[in-house]
Amino acid sequence: MKRLCYVIPVLMLYVMLNGCGSHQVVKQKEPERVVEIKKDTAVVVVAPPVDTIVQKIDTVKTAPQKTLEGDVQKLFTQMHFSFQLPKGVVVEKVKEDTAAGLVFVYCNELLSWMPFRENTVREIYDSLKPYFAKTNKIFAIKVYSLKRPIEDLIPNFYRTSTSAYDAARIPKEQGAQVVRDINKPYKISAGLQNRNLVVWPSHGRYYANKSARWEWQRPRLFQTVEDLLSYSIVVPYLIPMLENAGANVYVPRERDIQTSEVIVDNDSPKDISSGAYEEKLTGYSIIKNCPENGFAKSDTYTGTENPFRMGTCRTLLSDTIVSTKIVWTPDIPRKGEYAVYISYKASAQNSNAVHYVVHHAGGSSEFSINQQIGGDTWFYLGTFVFEKGRDVINGCVSLDNKCSTVGLSITADAVRFGGGMGQIVRDGSTSGVPKFAEAARYWLQTAGIPDTLVYRLNEDSEYKDDYQSRPEYVNYLYGVPKGPASNRSAGLHIPIDMSLALHTDAGIAKHDSVVGTMSIYSIKDYDGSEYYPGGVSRFAARDAADIIQTQIVNDIQSAFDKNWIRRSLRNSDYSEAMRPNVPAVLLEVLSHQNFTDMQYAHDPKFKMALARSIYKGIVKYFSVYANTPYVIQPLPVSHLASKLNENGSVTISWKAEKDSLEPTAVPSSFVVYRREGNGGFDNGTITKNNEITFGDLRQNTLYSFNVSAVNAGGESFPSEIISAGISTASKKQILIINGFHRLAPPASISTPGFEGFINFSDAGVPYKYSIDFTGAQSDFNPASEYKSNDAPGHGASYADFEGKVIAGNTFDYPVMHGEAILAAGYSFSSCSDDAIIDNGVELNSYAALDIIYGEEKSNSGGTSRGVIPHDLSVKLKKYLAKKGSIFITGAYISSDIFKTPGRSDVSAFTNESLHYDFAGSHVSMSGEVWSCAPDIFPDNFILRFNTTENDSIYKVEAPDGLQPLYKAKAIFRYAENRISAAIAYKNSYGIVAFGFPFETILGKQQRLDCMRYVLKYLTDK
């Protein structure tokens, strides 16, 4: 038997022909996952129990047809449409009404697996007309699937006339939101404003009762596990896009990857190590305990404890002035980014505009909280940078009672900073991984969701609890009349508009093809009703599933793989599609079991594009609700540059990017964010221009900037970060040029007997960080069979990195270089290399150029420009002719130039102008280099650069050796083999080149010293 996917609780069975053809569904209760695809059969593993039950399902043969049904069946199978009908479509019944001149053709559900548009419906009807035209008694034809005419299966969004919309699929309400960011300098009017969405990534680590251990719900395959892979798409990419479009997004799993957690609460002792809670009142203010229970902190939870029922909370009254203030000051264990969550008690008598302020390393960010809804759980405000320790000025959260109406209630409970580690104890131990890696069932307990409604649904299976708890969380947030299916609870009264579950489990395809994307919805609930409790047709979910799937497939086919497969658009009673009492979609976006799919899934650019497609589909779905045009948020800007001016100001410039896939994604303005020192970014300054000047710079201070594009649909992702600084020690100025733009999957290999990912050659470059890497692949044999989740066969991977955060390309390296340049006594500006190539940034006024190439290269999924693109080499050559100097560093500054075909012009420039040649790649494992140039560096000057995965700086797995040419000399050698690690040349101009990235040098003082010696050599004429 070929390798199976893994041990899974499958409650829907798939029979798939030809890899991605016909599907037959065998329904059972609570279906979950997809299985290995074979022609004519589907091999399915069902669990629990852990002992696998293998079922082999023969493809159902079409039953003998009556004459009329048989004739129409032939028409369906023989007609040549502009689209492909799903295989397995059966004409079950044909009914003629000669009196009315009508014929009704009833097909099985498989016909509904295809997307319907007005043209496809027209084609189907036109194909049948000639057959029924043989009699003059038939004037019209109706084809049915899902007991609906196929024209009813066209989503409202794709209908050309609004008068043809199915009004039953459009909710009448426009809901309120709990959290409103009042610092945003722009307004969203054509995005997801006022929408409340619940979005989650598949599974997580859980406690398996039968095996008595914590384990993943899926196997480790191709260096990841679905429990983390889906998270790596949803949390870093999809959720920020939805929030940037104006939505409040709720997540039943921990969304913060910060492993530290600090909770400050009114029930905590006044002097505790974790922080301090403080009430500040005027003489006439009153603050007292709420009559209901509130939050109380616990280090662990062993049973069904609800932390939001274990303590107290405080209540006060609103006023037109600030007469009462509450401050939560954490003791932050280490500097970093922390999500900030608040909690409170909701009531109709509360204010709907309670003023909270987060004071962080970048300044202060203000929020308005609607305390009339929600409460009794954690509400996410944002993620901010906090310095280590206690800081009552820039490291706390405050609430005040100023309001436009006097006498309204305001409540205050705990504030949480960071995600933290797992706290649920089973058999004496916790999961041992951060909360973000755990199953939803455990986060929901620590978030105060009632056990019997959400996460304690089964007495003996926390596995089932998990996948059932996610949709019931949706219902609890909404409450009556849309509360959990088993108990119409009052809930939290948050008007949830939609839920979306993302999975990566869609089977295995043969012949190196992709499995593709499946979209799932449910048109019936447990009671068989085709309407949600609020009265909306459940076919609204089919609309959403179709629109999102269409967007995904169209975008991926355009940008990545023209053969990306659109799999079935399926009505099925999966928990995550059936249980929510609002329109719900379950996406199987690709298959983590299929090697070809995973070559895309590990690519950060693909993840971002996939998330953007889902976000675009959601926006388009909701545009029908409001009956207004939609606008898609712009792409990030590029070509950033900072330039110091003679008057001590700095000008920041950039270029907007066009989205070839979305004509509405055009920016109307831009937000420029500023950071001082190594703190956090401020709330931004808006401008309609492509540049802005700041004149309030302090000398000897490091400043950084990034830019986002804005339109009526929302805000783009941030740009790369550039920096600038003015030194009082020297008039000489350095220009930092950032050429490290690469995002890439790990290197892979595919041969008949050896297939997989080879991180030792190139581990790839994640966007900012990676959280889905479990460990290197260990089984490369495509013939290896699946035996269990612990021994899954081909693709099996190690577990030494699971639950860990691994640094990638932060696009923030000019600040590390700039800090060292400023400390060496030089002013500096910075820019992207494309700003020089395309925008003509002038180079000649700079004493030296510091060129960052990090892990940039032009192959293995990298950027097309690579190290020193031709156009840049031309400009650099002219700069050197004017007696300039260059400091260039990067892991591939030799191999990418000399080993990439078609780069002879740049290799000649490198030989003749930069004075080095290729001397080997992958030349060091230790990352230790020794100085061999006493005229530049002091004796015994030793540097170490990072060669291991960690959460602070990316790993260098393949540093280059540089061979000095034409009077250049080696200035560093690798400790293992004495290969030249860096070269220097000086005559009419100066060159220093490192075969490893400067920013990966370990130790701040080592970087400062190194830069000082290099710049002295280059600028001392």
Side-chain angles (χ1 to χ4, degrees):
M1 183 179 69
K2 282 289 188 180
R3 179 180 63 85
L4 302 179
C5 309
Y6 41 64
V7 180
I8 47 176
V10 177
L11 304 167
M12 167 178 283
L13 308 181
Y14 296 78
V15 175
M16 308 184 65
L17 295 176
N18 301 319
C20 296
S22 174
H23 315 282
Q24 180 207 353
V25 180
V26 180
K27 289 190 176 181
Q28 295 184 11
K29 202 170 183 181
E30 299 291 5
E32 260 288 283
R33 290 274 65 78
V34 181
V35 294
E36 182 179 6
I37 302 164
K38 286 187 176 182
K39 187 173 181 180
D40 300 329
T41 63
V43 180
V44 182
V45 179
V46 181
V50 172
D51 296 329
T52 59
I53 304 170
V54 181
Q55 300 182 7
K56 191 169 184 179
I57 314 295
D58 292 329
T59 302
V60 173
K61 308 299 181 182
T62 302
Q65 301 291 312
K66 296 180 180 178
T67 302
L68 186 55
E69 284 78 9
D71 287 348
V72 178
Q73 180 80 46
K74 288 180 182 179
L75 289 175
F76 271 108
T77 57
Q78 295 174 0
M79 285 291 178
H80 296 287
F81 297 110
S82 62
F83 53 90
Q84 186 173 4
L85 285 174
K87 292 183 180 180
V89 172
V90 174
V91 177
E92 296 178 329
K93 183 179 181 181
V94 178
K95 181 180 178 182
E96 293 181 299
D97 186 343
T98 54
L102 298 174
V103 62
F104 302 93
V105 178
Y106 298 94
C107 295
N108 64 351
E109 192 169 298
L110 271 68
L111 181 60
S112 73
W113 288 10
M114 65 172 282
F116 285 95
R117 305 292 182 263
E118 291 173 344
N119 66 306
T120 57
V121 171
R122 189 163 48 247
E123 277 192 60
I124 290 174
Y125 284 159
D126 287 347
S127 70
L128 296 177
K129 284 179 181 178
Y131 175 82
F132 290 103
K134 295 175 183 177
T135 171
N136 294 328
K137 297 178 181 179
I138 301 300
F139 303 103
I141 302 168
K142 287 285 185 182
V143 176
Y144 285 75
S145 185
L146 292 179
K147 300 181 180 179
R148 292 285 188 102
I150 55 176
E151 56 266 35
D152 285 1
L153 302 183
I154 303 171
N156 280 337
F157 179 80
Y158 295 114
R159 301 186 187 189
T160 55
S161 172
T162 57
S163 62
Y165 283 1
D166 179 359
R169 304 182 199 183
I170 305 175
K172 302 300 186 290
E173 57 192 328
Q174 184 79 4
Q177 293 179 309
V178 172
V179 177
R180 186 166 63 90
D181 184 345
I182 59 180
N183 288 118
K184 288 189 181 298
Y186 57 87
K187 182 179 180 181
I188 300 172
S189 58
L192 296 172
Q193 64 279 2
N194 299 323
R195 297 296 173 198
N196 295 293
L197 310 177
V198 185
V199 180
W200 62 84
S202 68
H203 313 277
R205 199 170 185 87
Y206 82 109
Y207 185 77
N209 295 317
K210 188 165 184 177
S211 59
R213 66 169 185 168
W214 290 90
E215 59 187 45
W216 299 116
Q217 298 186 40
R218 298 293 178 258
R220 302 173 186 90
L221 289 171
F222 300 116
Q223 304 193 148
T224 190
V225 61
E226 183 187 11
D227 308 55
L228 298 176
L229 177 61
S230 58
Y231 189 100
S232 74
I233 298 168
V234 170
V235 175
Y237 300 107
L238 177 57
I239 291 175
M241 291 176 185
L242 298 172
E243 291 177 333
N244 284 356
N248 271 192
V249 181
Y250 297 88
V251 191
R253 285 177 63 178
E254 175 58 55
R255 61 178 293 166
D256 190 7
I257 63 170
Q258 173 61 251
T259 57
S260 297
E261 177 189 50
V262 181
I263 297 177
V264 183
D265 181 34
N266 62 288
D267 290 310
S268 300
K270 295 298 181 184
D271 185 15
I272 58 174
S273 59
S274 62
Y277 170 89
E278 183 180 7
E279 298 175 352
K280 301 180 180 180
L281 296 81
T282 63
Y284 57 87
S285 298
I286 298 174
I287 185 166
K288 58 184 180 181
N289 279 345
C290 299
E292 299 91 1
N293 290 335
F295 178 88
K297 184 178 180 295
S298 178
D299 292 332
T300 58
Y301 302 93
T302 58
T304 59
E305 305 98 323
N306 185 333
F308 285 82
R309 299 290 184 269
M310 296 166 61
T312 65
C313 72
R314 303 288 278 168
T315 182
L316 56 153
L317 296 177
S318 64
D319 201 343
T320 55
I321 62 171
V322 177
S323 58
T324 307
K325 191 173 184 179
I326 298 175
V327 181
W328 296 262
T329 305
D331 191 349
I332 298 295
R334 63 171 185 165
K335 178 183 177 179
E337 291 187 334
Y338 290 77
V340 174
Y341 301 85
I342 62 167
S343 61
Y344 58 92
K345 300 293 290 189
S347 168
Q349 285 70 50
N350 283 4
S351 168
N352 65 357
V354 179
H355 184 227
Y356 282 80
V357 183
V358 180
H359 308 269
H360 51 88
S364 298
S365 300
E366 299 178 77
F367 298 88
S368 178
I369 306 301
N370 182 356
Q371 288 196 351
Q372 293 179 353
I373 58 177
D376 290 319
T377 189
W378 297 118
F379 290 88
Y380 174 76
L381 298 187
T383 298
F384 309 91
V385 175
F386 291 93
E387 298 287 348
K388 180 180 179 180
R390 293 194 195 187
D391 187 341
V392 296
I393 304 299
N394 295 314
C396 60
V397 172
S398 65
L399 170 155
D400 64 64
N401 68 331
K402 185 176 180 180
C403 191
S404 59
T405 303
V406 177
L408 296 175
S409 293
I410 294 173
T411 62
D413 206 345
V415 174
R416 183 162 70 97
F417 303 82
M421 300 295 290
Q423 294 176 288
I424 307 298
V425 175
R426 293 290 182 268
D427 196 27
S429 69
T430 61
S431 66
V433 297
K435 285 183 184 176
F436 77 78
E438 288 188 331
R441 178 247 178 272
Y442 307 107
W443 185 86
L444 291 172
Q445 179 174 355
T446 61
I449 310 304
D451 60 340
T452 56
L453 294 181
V454 174
Y455 67 83
R456 198 170 174 234
L457 303 171
N458 302 275
E459 291 296 330
D460 60 349
S461 176
E462 295 187 13
Y463 179 101
K464 289 182 180 179
D465 274 355
D466 180 47
Y467 70 75
Q468 293 174 8
S469 70
R470 303 174 216 141
E472 294 298 359
Y473 171 64
V474 178
N475 299 333
Y476 178 69
L477 291 177
Y478 209 142
V480 172
K482 304 184 180 184
S486 61
N487 185 335
R488 291 284 186 256
S489 163
L492 301 185
H493 304 291
I494 302 171
I496 302 299
D497 293 288
M498 177 185 179
S499 75
L500 183 138
L502 188 143
H503 291 256
T504 63
D505 185 11
I508 299 172
K510 305 304 177 186
H511 311 300
D512 298 323
S513 66
V514 296
V515 169
T517 300
M518 178 189 294
S519 195
I520 299 168
Y521 62 94
S522 178
I523 60 171
K524 291 184 180 180
D525 65 13
Y526 279 107
D527 301 324
S529 173
E530 292 189 0
Y531 292 88
Y532 295 109
V536 175
S537 169
R538 293 182 68 97
F539 275 84
R542 189 182 192 279
D543 280 14
D546 187 349
I547 295 166
I548 295 169
Q549 184 188 35
T550 298
Q551 193 71 58
I552 291 172
V553 174
N554 288 350
D555 286 354
I556 294 178
Q557 287 180 346
S558 297
F560 291 91
D561 186 343
K562 65 181 181 179
N563 297 315
W564 191 263
I565 294 168
R566 176 171 185 147
R567 298 184 64 224
S568 57
L569 173 63
R570 182 171 300 189
N571 167 48
S572 185
D573 54 353
Y574 279 50
S575 243
E576 293 163 286
M578 179 175 64
R579 281 179 177 264
N581 289 316
V582 297
V585 177
L586 192 164
L587 288 174
E588 296 284 5
V589 292
L590 51 83
S591 176
H592 64 263
Q593 305 140 260
N594 194 57
F595 177 63
T596 306
D597 286 59
M598 287 307 300
Q599 290 176 290
Y600 289 110
H602 280 313
D603 185 348
K605 300 184 298 299
F606 180 86
K607 290 181 180 180
M608 184 174 290
L610 173 61
R612 185 169 171 86
S613 296
I614 298 169
Y615 144 71
K616 286 160 62 177
I618 292 173
V619 170
K620 293 177 180 181
Y621 167 70
F622 280 113
S623 70
V624 173
Y625 279 26
N627 195 22
T628 57
Y630 67 86
V631 175
I632 298 301
Q633 59 197 218
L635 291 174
V637 304
S638 63
H639 295 71
L640 262 75
S642 68
K643 180 182 179 181
L644 291 175
N645 304 312
E646 291 184 359
N647 62 359
S649 63
V650 62
T651 297
I652 311 302
S653 60
W654 59 88
K655 178 183 176 181
E657 287 292 315
K658 292 183 179 179
D659 186 348
S660 62
L661 300 179
E662 183 52 57
T664 70
V666 178
S668 56
S669 57
F670 305 91
V671 181
V672 183
Y673 296 93
R674 185 168 74 164
R675 179 180 67 195
E676 185 173 329
N678 290 304
F681 282 96
D682 65 9
N683 294 311
T685 302
I686 196 161
T687 178
K688 290 186 176 296
N689 302 317
N690 284 69
E691 67 174 36
I692 190 171
T693 298
F694 294 97
D696 56 346
L697 272 63
R698 293 186 289 112
Q699 293 181 329
N700 303 313
T701 303
L702 186 67
Y703 291 93
S704 301
F705 308 87
N706 67 20
V707 181
S708 64
V710 173
N711 61 19
E715 184 174 5
S716 73
F717 265 37
S719 68
E720 65 178 293
I721 300 170
I722 55 171
S723 302
I726 303 171
S727 173
T728 57
S730 172
K731 292 184 178 180
K732 293 180 180 179
Q733 189 179 154
I734 311 299
L735 177 65
I736 300 173
I737 302 172
N738 181 35
F740 182 19
H741 308 297
R742 180 170 172 246
L743 298 172
S748 60
I749 187 170
S750 182
T751 68
F754 193 88
E755 184 177 75
F757 295 98
I758 47 176
N759 280 34
F760 61 84
S761 174
D762 180 358
V765 184
Y767 174 66
K768 295 189 176 180
Y769 58 82
S770 168
I771 48 83
D772 58 331
F773 180 61
T774 60
Q777 185 173 337
S778 59
D779 189 327
F780 292 84
N781 184 0
S784 291
E785 295 185 357
Y786 172 91
K787 296 185 182 298
S788 69
N789 275 10
D790 293 329
H794 179 223
S797 302
Y798 292 107
D800 48 326
F801 283 98
E802 58 191 26
K804 295 180 180 178
V805 178
I806 299 172
N809 189 348
T810 64
F811 296 90
D812 194 14
Y813 302 113
V815 71
M816 297 179 71
H817 288 243
E819 180 180 43
I821 291 170
L822 203 58
Y826 300 85
S827 299
F828 75 96
S829 300
S830 60
C831 68
S832 172
D833 63 348
D834 52 19
I836 296 173
I837 296 169
D838 300 330
N839 293 2
V841 170
E842 179 57 46
L843 302 179
N844 291 334
S845 61
Y846 296 99
L849 308 180
D850 174 9
I851 307 179
I852 303 171
Y853 273 118
E855 288 205 304
E856 185 73 12
K857 63 177 178 177
S858 54
N859 54 357
S860 296
T863 61
S864 59
R865 281 178 165 170
V867 174
I868 314 181
H870 169 74
D871 291 345
L872 181 60
S873 72
V874 173
K875 294 178 182 291
L876 294 179
K877 188 172 184 179
K878 291 179 180 179
Y879 168 75
L880 292 174
K882 298 287 186 178
K883 300 183 180 180
S885 294
I886 292 177
F887 177 35
I888 179 172
T889 65
Y892 303 111
I893 65 169
S894 173
S895 56
D896 188 53
I897 292 172
F898 295 102
K899 296 300 180 181
T900 301
R903 306 209 68 194
S904 59
D905 53 343
V906 177
S907 61
F909 162 77
T910 305
N911 283 163
E912 297 164 10
S913 298
L914 301 185
H915 295 266
Y916 69 83
D917 203 341
F918 177 72
S921 61
H922 295 79
V923 293
S924 176
M925 289 289 285
S926 70
E928 182 174 313
V929 296
W930 297 349
S931 168
C932 54
D935 58 327
I936 303 176
F937 302 102
D939 292 339
N940 300 316
F941 189 71
I942 298 174
L943 296 176
R944 290 180 176 84
F945 59 89
N946 181 56
T947 59
T948 60
E949 290 91 348
N950 62 78
D951 63 357
S952 58
I953 189 68
Y954 63 90
K955 171 187 177 180
V956 181
E957 67 272 16
D960 273 350
L962 308 182
Q963 179 65 41
L965 294 177
Y966 312 126
K967 297 184 179 180
K969 61 182 178 181
I971 59 174
F972 280 109
R973 293 190 182 276
Y974 292 108
E976 298 104 309
N977 46 37
R978 305 304 190 268
I979 293 174
S980 173
I983 65 96
Y985 167 85
K986 194 171 183 181
N987 195 342
S988 60
Y989 62 83
I991 299 292
V992 172
F994 286 7
F996 55 91
F998 171 84
E999 61 274 10
T1000 65
I1001 295 173
L1002 299 175
K1004 178 179 177 179
Q1005 191 58 51
Q1006 284 72 20
R1007 292 193 300 272
L1008 298 184
D1009 292 342
C1010 180
M1011 183 67 77
R1012 183 173 70 255
Y1013 296 134
V1014 167
L1015 292 182
K1016 185 178 186 304
Y1017 172 79
L1018 291 176
T1019 62
D1020 187 354
K1021 301 299 183 183

